[in-house]
Amino acid sequence: MASNGNLQVLNALDGAKTQWYHFTAIIIAGMGFFTDAYDLFCISLVTKMLGRIYYHKPGSLKPGSLPPDVSAAVNGVALVGTLAGQLFFGWLGDKLGRKKVYGITLMLMCLCSIASGLSFGSNPKMVMATLCFFRFWLGFGIGGDYPLSATIMSEYSNKKTRGGFIAAVFAMQGFGILGGGVFAIILSSVFDSKFKAPAYEVDPIGSTVPEADYVWRIILMVGALPALLTYYWRLKMPETARYTALVAKNANQAAMDMSKVLQMEIESEQHKVDTVVEKPSNSFGLFSKEFLRRHGKALLGTTTTWFLLDIAYYSQNLFQKDIFSAIGWIPAAKKMNAIHEVYRIARAQTLIALCSTVPGYWFTVFLIDRMGRFKIQLLGFSMMTIFMFALAFPYNHWIQPGNNIGFVVMYSLTFFFANFGPNATTFVVPAEIFPARLRSTCHGISAASGKLGAIVGAFGFLYLAQNPDPAKADAGYPAGIGVKNALIVLGVINFLGTLCTFLVPESKGKSLEEMSGENEEEPPKVGEV
């Protein structure tokens, strides 16, 4: 909408100075993302411990490990649930309203997070089955948080700093990954000092103390706490004015809600709402030719870039421990006991999060409204491509003793540019460029495309990175193409992401209605950068 044809309540939001309610919304939405990241990534801290506890083979020279199918299920089932949740709750957020669905997703996340730690069974297969069951529904709740948090933040924000506010919500993911690592370090340190155990090569049975079973359960359950703390405030948030006015068609309620939030008098203008929503340009559906003509190219851009990014991002993140072991940054499993192994994996992942993941997110927060979404995404994908190839081609150099610190630095830089780049922008842009009545749905579709990429990364990398020599591959796995060739594949994927970025429109400095064309007769030029 041009400002002269826009509703007063939407103009007030677009022009509002940064106020306390903006930060309140960031914290309320952000704590959901803290939980999302903690829950999705903490599983990679404990999978090796699960192998030791439940799949120990008497007489084996190496500690027990999860069979390939079990490992793929434990690592990937939450991502499958997330994909389903993004599509379902994204659609529901446009049908019932952002606020109504928001509380449901948070409670589902909290309950299933606790239930994951209570996984039970009379044998290892049953324990893993119940763990996978609860992690699927945990993922389902997490999935809902993506479109709803992004949409709520975009609809509450002013147009000058909207990108930074949405990115700040997503940046809490970095603190979630960091929080998971720090908590695992503290917990494993306490248990390791309290329940002394020899290394596996000294005493295979004694290296895994019975109390180790508590460690992974507590790590999984603690993820519920931050989200529970903000549950009350989620329920107290008013519905966004854009949903109330443009979708529910209740201008009076929108004006009342935002008068309280902005602490100013706002005229309701119900007649103007009736005029806007009755226009043919505001009645087409998701599967119409008109949507395809106006927004098809943009939706293709948001889905393909998020899909390609998540193949690389999740394969790197979920399997950091395997890469660190391969280059010798974490000792051989047989030289550690079960609890100390969790400590070493958590320490390595926390260092990566602290030095590259978290700073990358906040670079985006502070620069996205200055540089624009397109430039940051293009820069991020380009640098990820360069660093991935720089790791892959001289891979044999990096695995030599004394060179592994260089490998870790380069590997960290790929994370930095993922987060100061497409990992943040692919979340921000879909919340800005689609009409209010389809905004949550389209964000959910874009995010689900990303999670499809995450599933490809999580399942595919397990097999791809195996040693080409069948005798050296992990137990139960077929021979793969090796870590070097797997990194080359990830580099190619990042390069494709660079190309697909040219499909995505720039939304810097524009109102949501300008981008979506909700008050225009002519279709907006959403394909322009």
Side-chain angles (χ1 to χ4, degrees):
M1 294 179 187
S3 59
N4 59 358
N6 210 347
L7 293 171
Q8 188 184 343
V9 65
L10 304 188
N11 278 336
L13 282 167
D14 279 340
K17 291 181 179 178
T18 300
Q19 298 176 35
W20 180 246
Y21 82 88
H22 287 124
F23 295 109
T24 306
I26 288 169
I27 292 165
I28 293 168
M31 288 318 274
F33 261 87
F34 182 100
T35 301
D36 294 352
Y38 182 103
D39 288 333
L40 282 179
F41 294 114
C42 70
I43 196 69
S44 67
L45 299 171
V46 299
T47 45
K48 292 210 171 187
M49 175 178 269
L50 292 172
R52 286 183 184 244
I53 295 170
Y54 295 106
Y55 292 91
H56 171 69
K57 290 180 181 175
S60 173
L61 295 176
K62 292 198 291 186
S65 61
L66 296 178
D69 55 339
V70 176
S71 181
V74 168
N75 278 306
V77 70
L79 301 177
V80 177
T82 304
L83 188 156
Q86 285 163 336
L87 292 172
F88 177 72
F89 287 117
W91 168 79
L92 205 61
D94 283 333
K95 293 298 175 191
L96 301 182
R98 294 44 162 144
K99 182 193 170 181
K100 282 182 183 174
V101 185
Y102 213 29
I104 299 170
T105 61
L106 193 75
M107 192 44 63
L108 188 59
M109 282 157 51
C110 292
L111 290 174
C112 292
S113 194
I114 293 166
S116 294
L118 299 175
S119 299
F120 54 86
S122 56
N123 57 58
K125 203 170 184 179
M126 281 300 296
V127 175
M128 293 301 117
T130 50
L131 175 61
C132 287
F133 174 80
F134 290 127
R135 280 191 66 78
F136 173 84
W137 290 108
L138 169 67
F140 194 69
I142 288 172
D145 223 42
Y146 274 73
L148 293 168
S149 291
T151 302
I152 285 170
M153 201 64 238
S154 77
E155 292 182 345
Y156 261 109
S157 301
N158 61 52
K159 64 182 178 182
K160 188 178 177 184
T161 56
R162 184 181 62 235
F165 288 155
I166 304 171
V169 170
F170 194 62
M172 292 300 287
Q173 192 179 68
F175 287 122
I177 296 169
L178 187 63
V182 169
F183 181 73
I185 288 170
I186 294 167
L187 189 70
S188 57
S189 297
V190 170
F191 270 75
D192 202 18
S193 61
K194 184 84 173 169
F195 306 102
K196 297 287 185 186
Y200 182 87
E201 62 184 359
V202 176
D203 182 356
I205 302 292
S207 68
T208 306
V209 294
E211 290 79 10
D213 199 46
Y214 294 119
V215 174
W216 72 268
R217 294 177 184 275
I218 294 169
I219 288 172
L220 295 188
M221 292 169 76
V222 163
L225 290 179
L228 276 173
L229 294 174
T230 58
Y231 182 68
Y232 171 77
W233 298 106
R234 253 189 206 211
L235 297 181
K236 294 284 284 182
M237 279 181 88
E239 180 58 86
T240 70
R242 284 181 162 90
Y243 181 85
T244 307
L246 299 176
V247 185
K249 304 172 188 175
N250 189 341
N252 296 329
Q253 187 63 50
M256 281 172 54
D257 288 342
M258 291 307 109
S259 291
K260 291 176 189 172
V261 169
L262 296 170
Q263 297 178 330
M264 61 185 284
E265 281 296 315
I266 297 174
E267 192 182 337
S268 68
E269 302 179 302
Q270 183 65 47
H271 63 284
K272 202 180 273 190
V273 167
D274 294 337
T275 304
V276 169
V277 298
E278 284 170 11
K279 288 188 175 184
S281 60
N282 287 330
S283 59
F284 58 84
L286 181 66
F287 300 106
S288 65
K289 286 182 180 177
E290 187 64 16
F291 178 87
L292 187 65
R293 187 168 70 88
R294 286 172 172 256
H295 304 288
K297 182 181 173 185
L299 187 60
L300 179 64
T302 58
T303 51
T304 52
T305 50
W306 208 336
F307 173 77
L308 293 164
L309 164 79
D310 273 9
I311 293 176
Y313 189 76
Y314 276 79
S315 60
Q316 283 175 252
N317 231 327
L318 288 171
F319 303 105
Q320 279 183 27
K321 61 186 186 301
D322 299 314
I323 292 170
F324 290 154
S325 296
I327 63 165
W329 215 45
I330 294 175
K334 65 182 180 179
K335 296 186 181 298
M336 299 179 282
N337 65 49
I339 295 173
H340 189 68
E341 186 174 36
V342 172
Y343 169 81
R344 294 298 289 256
I345 293 168
R347 192 180 69 171
Q349 292 194 193
T350 302
L351 195 61
I352 291 288
L354 192 61
C355 296
S356 63
T357 308
V358 171
Y361 282 116
W362 290 97
F363 263 72
T364 303
V365 172
F366 292 118
L367 293 175
I368 191 168
D369 289 308
R370 291 183 177 89
M371 290 176 63
R373 289 73 165 143
F374 175 78
K375 285 180 183 175
I376 287 178
Q377 185 161 311
L378 196 67
L379 173 70
F381 264 131
S382 302
M383 296 306 289
M384 286 170 72
T385 306
I386 291 166
F387 284 117
M388 200 59 76
F389 284 143
L391 288 173
F393 290 116
Y395 180 71
N396 294 328
H397 162 77
W398 294 118
I399 59 175
Q400 299 303 316
N403 295 338
N404 51 15
I405 295 299
F407 183 97
V408 172
V409 169
M410 298 276 279
Y411 187 70
S412 298
L413 284 168
T414 64
F415 274 112
F416 175 81
F417 281 105
N419 295 311
F420 178 43
N423 195 37
T425 54
T426 52
F427 177 79
V428 172
V429 174
E432 300 181 306
I433 61 177
F434 300 107
R437 67 187 182 284
L438 299 171
R439 187 169 289 134
S440 179
T441 303
C442 289
H443 195 285
I445 291 168
S446 302
S449 175
K451 280 300 164 286
L452 185 61
I455 293 163
V456 171
F459 287 91
F461 198 80
L462 261 175
Y463 292 88
L464 269 185
Q466 292 300 319
N467 198 296
D469 181 353
K472 294 181 181 177
D474 291 344
Y477 287 88
I481 61 173
V483 174
K484 175 179 178 174
N485 290 327
L487 290 172
I488 292 172
V489 170
L490 293 181
V492 171
I493 287 166
N494 288 329
F495 178 68
L496 292 174
T498 309
L499 299 180
C500 290
T501 296
F502 288 93
L503 296 170
V504 181
E506 178 58 80
S507 48
K508 171 188 158 189
K510 298 177 182 177
S511 75
L512 298 178
E513 289 70 40
E514 281 179 81
M515 289 306 300
S516 63
E518 283 168 279
N519 199 32
E520 296 177 14
E521 295 302 335
E522 292 299 314
K525 297 177 182 178
V526 295
E528 286 188 5
V529 172

